[in-house]
Amino acid sequence: MKKLKLCLIVVSTMLMSFCTNQKLTKENALEILKRDFKQKCYQGLISDNIYYYGNYYQKVSKSNEEDIAEIHSYIMELKKQGCVTSVEDKPRYMQFTLTSKGKRYQSSKKDRIGKLFEVATSEIVSVLGISENKNTGTAIVKFRFKYKPSPFYNLRRYKYKFKHKDTCKDKFYEHEVEFIKFDDRWEIKK
């Protein structure tokens, strides 16, 4: 019995020292980032005026008939995905009601025109480098991500107007976050 206790103490001491000396690798950092780093892109939807009282009225201000047909197809896709119901076409307007699934993408945040929607979420692509400070038990991790579109991505305002302000385009972005080392793991510093 004494040998078993001694053996368990040696094994647990070895495991603790292994965990406390654990180096942050690119693979570990990538796994942690994919699990814990979430950056959402919020934008308003295309409209001149947005009114929200249970129903969402989407004013189509484009004069180009192709754009209007494209916007209509995006709204119909939202209906197929279960994000909206009650699509009704009126001259230059498309009226629909957000479902509970669609409301999950609506933010409480507003801009000067109306409510904002989550149009994309970050998707980690790769870890570019790690700068670890052994004295402080921290590390700066530089990584690359791109935005994964939400169902409302194609109705974002900046796709059609003010394209220079579109902050969640389909391209790669680089970002840095600080990690902190605990006795048994690394975490993103909050």
Side-chain angles (χ1 to χ4, degrees):
M1 188 65 146
K2 287 183 181 183
K3 282 186 179 181
L4 181 61
K5 284 183 182 178
L6 181 61
C7 197
L8 286 173
I9 291 171
V10 170
V11 169
S12 67
T13 306
M14 287 173 57
L15 284 173
M16 284 177 65
S17 88
F18 170 75
C19 290
T20 54
N21 293 327
Q22 183 182 23
K23 182 174 172 52
L24 182 63
T25 65
K26 285 185 175 183
E27 292 79 21
N28 296 73
L30 183 63
E31 185 180 313
I32 294 166
L33 285 165
K34 283 183 175 183
R35 183 187 67 226
D36 297 336
F37 180 82
K38 304 288 185 240
Q39 183 164 315
K40 297 180 178 184
C41 181
Y42 292 98
Q43 288 187 10
L45 303 186
I46 358 166
S47 175
D48 285 344
N49 298 299
I50 295 176
Y51 306 96
Y52 187 78
Y53 299 103
N55 287 336
Y56 191 86
Y57 296 89
Q58 184 65 48
K59 184 174 180 185
V60 180
S61 59
K62 287 293 205 177
S63 58
N64 186 333
E65 293 302 317
E66 287 177 15
D67 286 342
I68 293 170
E70 182 179 276
I71 292 164
H72 183 264
S73 72
Y74 293 143
I75 293 173
M76 295 310 288
E77 182 60 32
L78 284 170
K79 184 176 181 180
K80 275 185 9 189
Q81 292 181 25
C83 293
V84 302
T85 60
S86 308
V87 174
E88 181 184 333
D89 286 329
K90 297 179 179 180
R92 317 287 302 159
Y93 282 85
M94 291 168 211
Q95 179 183 346
F96 56 88
T97 303
L98 293 172
T99 63
S100 57
K101 181 180 179 182
K103 287 178 183 178
R104 288 188 300 207
Y105 294 97
Q106 188 179 34
S107 171
S108 59
K109 300 175 185 177
K110 293 181 179 183
D111 64 8
R112 60 185 182 83
I113 298 174
K115 291 203 176 190
L116 300 180
F117 280 75
E118 176 190 322
V119 295
T121 305
S122 61
E123 184 175 73
I124 310 301
V125 176
S126 63
V127 172
L128 302 173
I130 299 172
S131 176
E132 189 175 337
N133 184 334
K134 294 182 193 238
N135 295 330
T136 62
T138 60
I140 301 296
V141 177
K142 186 174 185 176
F143 60 97
R144 180 175 286 144
F145 73 92
K146 64 180 182 174
Y147 280 110
K148 179 181 175 185
S150 83
F152 289 92
Y153 183 77
N154 286 317
L155 289 178
R156 68 195 190 284
R157 185 178 310 133
Y158 297 129
K159 178 178 179 177
Y160 294 91
K161 297 180 182 181
F162 316 116
K163 292 179 184 180
H164 62 285
K165 292 184 179 182
D166 195 349
T167 55
C168 56
K169 293 180 186 173
D170 187 19
K171 68 176 192 172
F172 292 103
Y173 297 86
E174 290 183 7
H175 193 66
E176 292 180 359
V177 292
E178 187 174 9
F179 277 59
I180 188 164
K181 185 181 354 182
F182 290 91
D183 59 341
D184 63 342
R185 70 194 176 284
W186 283 91
E187 286 185 5
I188 296 174
K189 189 173 182 181
K190 296 185 175 40

